Amino acid sequence: MAGTNSKESIEKGLAGMKVALGQLNLEGVVANAEKELKLLKNTRLDIAFTGVSGAGKSSLVNAFRNVSDYEDGAAKIGVQQTTMLCERYPHPKFPELTLWDLPGIGTPEFKPKEYLEKVNFSRYDFFIIVASERFTVNDAMLASEIQKMNKRFYFVRTKVDQAMDAERRKPGFSEAQTLEEIRQYCLRNLREEGAVDPRVFLISSWHLNMYDFPPLQKTLANDLNDLKRPLLIMAMPAFSREHLQEKKAAMEAVIWKKALVSCGVGVIPIPGLSLIFDIALLVSTMKDFCKAFGLDEESLCNLAKRVGKPVGVLKSAIKKTPLANQINPEFVKSLTTKSLLCGSAMVLEEVSDFIPVLGSLVGGVNSFASTYYMLTGFLEDAVEDAESVLAKVAE
């Protein structure tokens, strides 16, 4: 197992805990860690997608959920209006994230305030307003009404790949110039309809690694609070090394908290309790890591369909971590090797010197050290495998 094999990396990882222990006693820090983890687990994020019929709302919902348009549970697609009600689509791996496919807004008698009341606007954290060609007065009016209600909204122009294919046949084609022309056309539409300082993201639901999907993800994450941001980062598909590193950072932020909870259980004098708890915690957390990086059977199959490669080719890039469905107590127990013991001992030694109050709790610190080392090492391996899958996709 790769991971925290240097004093520098251990100190960096434990920095947050050192700060916390400087403000509270161990019991208070453990209680806070449990509270923060529970808040993260129970946090919900609701994203609304709206726009005229045929704009590609449903396909975009499916892309956000990393599912194909025609599989079971996917948002219904079609050129005719298929969404007459607010359709709810939980993320298949992170159900705390729900995407809502709202009724179309293309009718002449459209009234934005009444529409928002009808779709229960207070339910959503933000709105994505979708168009496939040009934005209309209805889009601008809806955005204005959303802004009055202190909610965020984002304009997304879909089906950019189709527009690029049509333009590519023309002599003197320039991708950068064509994208800028599409962007300026959309901005001009919105300004003419009264939108103030609009920003438009150009998206292809079938090529999420291209155009503006990565900056859209980053913008959405940056606009969320500290509780909801990790959920979005964990759930969204990753198509760049930068986004993989963002996922890694979000997971690193909870590792020491989980290790602290393990420590709290480790000091309870009940034989076998700490071991049972630690194994369950490691299994669930490692599964979440794999799902976040797309290292599970379903995600790999969907990615293979999207990029037109055999799923076996993508799986061949995974060398260090099992798929999510293969992680079980037996796998975790198999990691208890000499290297793990050495690594845990390194963490334990650093903790004893770095954070003396924790080092004095022998039973707890053993649980802390093994949990911290195993999760950090597993995370490093998962990131490396996810990068290898991205490299295989790009071949």
Side-chain angles (χ1 to χ4, degrees):
M1 179 185 289
T4 54
N5 53 6
S6 72
K7 183 174 181 178
E8 182 181 357
S9 63
I10 294 171
E11 287 184 355
K12 181 180 178 182
L14 297 177
M17 189 173 71
K18 183 181 182 183
V19 172
L21 282 170
Q23 299 170 343
L24 295 170
N25 59 24
L26 179 63
E27 290 76 14
V29 173
V30 171
N32 277 354
E34 290 177 332
K35 180 180 178 181
E36 289 174 17
L37 290 173
K38 187 174 291 185
L39 281 172
L40 286 171
K41 183 178 181 181
N42 294 329
T43 293
R44 294 190 52 80
L45 178 60
D46 292 270
I47 305 175
F49 294 76
T50 187
V52 298
S53 176
K57 291 186 290 111
S58 300
S59 287
L60 191 57
V61 168
N62 293 333
F64 265 68
R65 298 171 66 233
N66 198 25
V67 301
S68 63
D69 285 338
Y70 297 102
E71 68 181 82
D72 291 342
K76 299 176 183 178
I77 65 170
V79 294
Q80 300 299 318
Q81 177 68 54
T82 58
T83 305
M84 301 306 295
L85 301 171
C86 300
E87 299 287 350
R88 176 178 180 271
Y89 296 99
H91 192 282
K93 303 294 186 304
F94 298 92
E96 299 82 9
L97 168 60
T98 302
L99 301 106
W100 296 84
D101 194 352
L102 303 189
I105 61 174
T107 58
E109 65 276 8
F110 174 71
K111 296 178 180 179
K113 188 172 182 179
E114 292 180 8
Y115 174 85
L116 290 173
E117 291 174 354
K118 178 181 177 182
V119 300
N120 191 14
F121 80 95
S122 61
R123 170 193 289 151
Y124 314 111
D125 291 280
F126 56 81
F127 293 76
I128 293 180
I129 303 173
V130 182
S132 61
E133 293 183 7
R134 68 185 305 274
F135 290 94
T136 67
V137 63
N138 286 345
D139 300 312
M141 287 195 303
L142 181 61
S144 177
E145 199 64 35
I146 292 171
Q147 193 167 32
K148 289 178 186 177
M149 297 173 176
N150 295 316
K151 294 278 187 176
R152 292 186 182 273
F153 60 90
Y154 306 87
F155 292 113
V156 169
R157 201 285 197 186
T158 57
K159 304 183 182 180
V160 174
D161 54 323
Q162 296 178 21
M164 297 300 285
D165 288 342
E167 292 294 319
R168 192 172 280 112
R169 293 190 287 269
K170 298 179 180 179
F173 168 77
S174 166
E175 180 172 297
Q177 181 180 339
T178 302
L179 286 172
E180 185 59 23
E181 289 174 355
I182 294 172
R183 192 185 310 279
Q184 290 304 320
Y185 176 70
C186 291
L187 291 173
R188 189 164 58 251
N189 291 157
L190 287 166
R191 292 190 185 108
E192 289 173 353
E193 302 298 352
V196 179
D197 195 24
R199 182 180 180 185
V200 174
F201 295 90
L202 308 181
I203 301 296
S204 165
S205 297
W206 275 99
H207 303 283
L208 299 182
N209 58 316
M210 300 173 65
Y211 314 122
D212 289 344
F213 192 77
L216 173 62
Q217 285 182 299
K218 192 166 188 176
T219 300
L220 297 179
N222 289 341
D223 287 348
L224 290 170
N225 63 35
D226 291 342
L227 279 175
K228 300 195 179 218
R229 186 180 304 115
L231 174 58
L232 182 73
I233 292 173
M234 293 276 279
M236 289 293 93
F239 292 95
S240 70
R241 190 177 187 279
E242 180 184 6
H243 194 202
L244 290 177
Q245 291 302 313
E246 290 173 358
K247 285 179 177 278
K248 180 185 178 186
M251 297 173 206
E252 286 175 333
V254 303
I255 284 179
W256 70 268
K257 293 182 177 71
K258 295 208 171 192
L260 262 177
V261 173
S262 173
C263 171
V265 174
V267 299
I268 300 174
I270 299 178
L273 176 63
S274 178
L275 177 62
I276 294 170
F277 178 85
D278 287 349
I279 289 176
L281 181 148
L282 289 166
V283 168
S284 64
T285 306
M286 289 177 178
K287 280 179 175 287
D288 284 343
F289 286 0
C290 283
K291 291 174 182 177
F293 285 112
L295 301 176
D296 62 275
E297 187 76 30
E298 188 175 359
S299 295
L300 289 167
C301 287
N302 285 332
L303 178 60
K305 292 177 186 176
R306 194 173 289 275
V307 301
K309 290 182 180 285
V311 67
V313 171
L314 301 185
K315 286 182 178 180
S316 70
I318 302 172
K319 306 293 186 184
K320 294 193 169 184
T321 54
L323 298 184
N325 66 320
Q326 298 170 331
I327 298 174
N328 53 38
E330 287 67 35
F331 167 75
V332 171
K333 291 175 185 177
S334 73
L335 297 179
T336 311
T337 62
K338 184 177 180 180
S339 63
L340 169 63
L341 296 176
C342 292
S344 298
M346 187 185 301
V347 177
L348 194 154
E349 180 182 359
E350 184 58 36
V351 166
S352 299
D353 178 59
F354 191 46
I355 307 170
V357 64
L358 188 60
S360 64
L361 300 173
V362 178
V365 79
N366 285 333
S367 292
F368 176 93
S370 59
T371 300
Y372 181 87
Y373 181 79
M374 290 177 73
L375 287 181
T376 307
F378 187 88
L379 177 59
E380 293 284 352
D381 289 344
V383 172
E384 187 173 331
D385 278 343
E387 289 178 346
S388 298
V389 171
L390 287 185
K392 189 67 70 174
V393 167
E395 288 181 354

